[in-house]
């Protein structure tokens, strides 16, 4: 069950732009947007997932810059990948004002895929790399 | 639905008057039958303080530099919380609500 530091909060206070930390204490991305359920009549929407990456951040930026940002992210994703990178709310372990801790390892998260690709294909080929 | 579809929308009251721009979403934890907690969207915070709020000026957390705290505090006084139950239609960039602007509570009072 997710542990929350506060019972009432705003998206900007506790969720948006927070660093994601995986179950091993390693950084796993940043929250760029939130997915909410489509509410039944008379029911409020519920948080269902954290969204990460340029395809999540682009719409938040808005305007032409946001559209470009989103288009770049769309071209860099895998065809089979989720759109945008999605972390189910059930994977959230602890939420505080500084960071969000997850129950999963970052290797299993979509939000880490581009960083892993960069480490393998670019950083790993630089002489002296220790990753 | 995504938060980016709500933040930035213009809110209009039942008389068609402009209430403000959605700059934040207020959530509340609700216990579920299985013992878990659902993070429910409780209200939309509307007003003209969006940028200052994101810099930390909305809750008097920042002391300076002058005159930004005073300016953003002044703008924050006009921020209101629109309960989700009052929302009647979401057609980005417009959100219609079923109450009048003068019936809405200040955004920060609701959080205490």
């Amino acid at each position: 069950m997710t542990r929350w530091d506060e019972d009432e909060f705003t998206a900007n206070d506790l969720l948006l732009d927070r660093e994601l930390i995986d179950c091993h204490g390693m950084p796993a991305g940043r929250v760029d947007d939130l997915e909410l359920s489509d509410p039944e009549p008379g029911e409020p929407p519920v948080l269902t997932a954290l969204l990460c990456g340029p395809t999540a951040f682009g719409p938040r930026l808005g305007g032409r810059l946001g559209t470009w940002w989103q288009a770049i992210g769309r071209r860099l994703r895998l065809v089979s990948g989720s759109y945008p990178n999605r972390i189910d709310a059930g994977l959230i372990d602890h939420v505080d004002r500084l960071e969000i801790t997850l129950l999963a390892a970052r290797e299993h998260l979509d939000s880490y895929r581009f960083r892993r690709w960069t480490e393998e294909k670019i950083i790993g080929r630089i002489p002296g790399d220790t990753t | 639905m995504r938060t980016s579809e709500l933040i930035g929308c213009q809110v209009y009251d039942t008389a068609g008057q402009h209430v403000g721009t959605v700059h934040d979403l207020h959530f509340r934890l609700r216990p579920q039958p299985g013992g878990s907690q659902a993070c429910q969207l409780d209200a939309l915070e509307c007003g003209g303080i969006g940028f200052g709020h994101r810099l930390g000026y909305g809750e008097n957390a920042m002391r300076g530099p002058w005159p930004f705290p005073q300016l953003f505090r002044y703008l924050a006084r006009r921020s209101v919380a629109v309960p989700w139950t009052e929302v009647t239609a979401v057609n980005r960039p417009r959100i219609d609500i079923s109450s009048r602007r003068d019936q809405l509570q200040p955004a920060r009072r609701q959080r205490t």
Side-chain angles (χ1 to χ4, degrees):
Chain A
M1 192 172 82
T2 304
R3 294 169 292 137
W4 300 81
D5 267 13
E6 299 172 29
D7 291 339
E8 292 181 43
F9 52 87
T10 67
N12 283 324
D13 284 345
L14 220 58
L15 295 171
L16 291 174
D17 301 319
R18 292 301 177 281
E19 177 117 44
L20 292 167
I21 304 294
D22 78 349
C23 60
H24 303 303
M26 301 298 288
R30 195 170 286 275
V31 181
D32 291 312
D33 204 352
L34 307 174
E35 183 191 83
L36 306 173
S37 63
D38 289 322
E40 300 291 329
E43 290 290 319
V46 174
L47 176 72
T48 53
L50 309 175
L51 305 176
C52 313
T55 50
F57 189 59
R60 259 183 79 197
L61 276 177
R64 190 170 293 178
L65 179 63
T67 306
W68 288 347
W69 197 261
Q70 193 177 6
I72 292 168
R74 206 164 45 225
R75 282 161 177 75
L76 290 175
R77 77 187 172 98
L78 292 176
V79 174
S80 59
S82 62
Y83 174 71
N85 297 328
R86 187 176 180 280
I87 297 171
D88 193 88
L91 290 175
I92 303 173
D93 178 30
H94 182 230
V95 179
D96 64 30
R97 283 191 168 256
L98 295 178
E99 60 194 25
I100 296 174
T101 313
L102 303 173
L103 293 167
R106 64 181 182 176
E107 290 77 15
H108 303 303
L109 300 173
D110 288 342
S111 62
Y112 188 68
R113 193 173 50 225
F114 183 65
R115 189 166 169 171
R116 183 173 56 217
W117 182 89
T118 310
E119 282 179 3
E120 287 175 3
K121 307 292 184 187
I122 300 173
I123 307 293
R125 295 180 180 181
I126 298 173
D129 166 62
T130 57
T131 56
Chain B
M1 190 194 309
R2 290 163 61 167
T3 56
S4 55
E5 294 172 26
L6 296 173
I7 292 175
C9 282
Q10 306 295 320
V11 178
Y12 292 87
D13 71 2
T14 188
Q17 278 194 319
H18 186 245
V19 175
T21 305
V22 179
H23 62 72
D24 209 348
L25 307 179
H26 185 263
F27 289 92
R28 190 186 296 265
L29 298 182
R30 298 270 187 214
Q32 297 295 295
S36 60
Q37 289 179 311
C39 180
Q40 291 185 339
L41 178 60
D42 192 45
L44 311 175
E45 292 194 0
C46 308
I49 193 184
F51 183 65
H53 175 72
R54 295 197 61 183
L55 292 176
Y57 287 103
E59 296 182 358
N60 301 329
M62 304 288 282
R63 288 186 176 179
W66 184 90
F68 293 112
Q70 292 81 1
L71 175 66
F72 287 122
R73 263 203 301 276
Y74 173 76
L75 292 173
R77 289 190 302 184
R78 300 177 60 186
S79 276
V80 292
V82 177
W84 179 259
T85 50
E86 304 283 341
V87 174
T88 55
V90 179
N91 297 308
R92 185 171 174 81
R94 181 186 176 109
I95 293 177
D96 291 299
I97 61 174
S98 61
S99 53
R100 292 197 316 273
R101 192 189 200 289
D102 53 11
Q103 295 173 321
L104 300 170
Q105 298 292 317
R108 293 294 145 173
R109 184 184 297 172
Q110 170 164 330
R111 301 184 58 207
T112 56

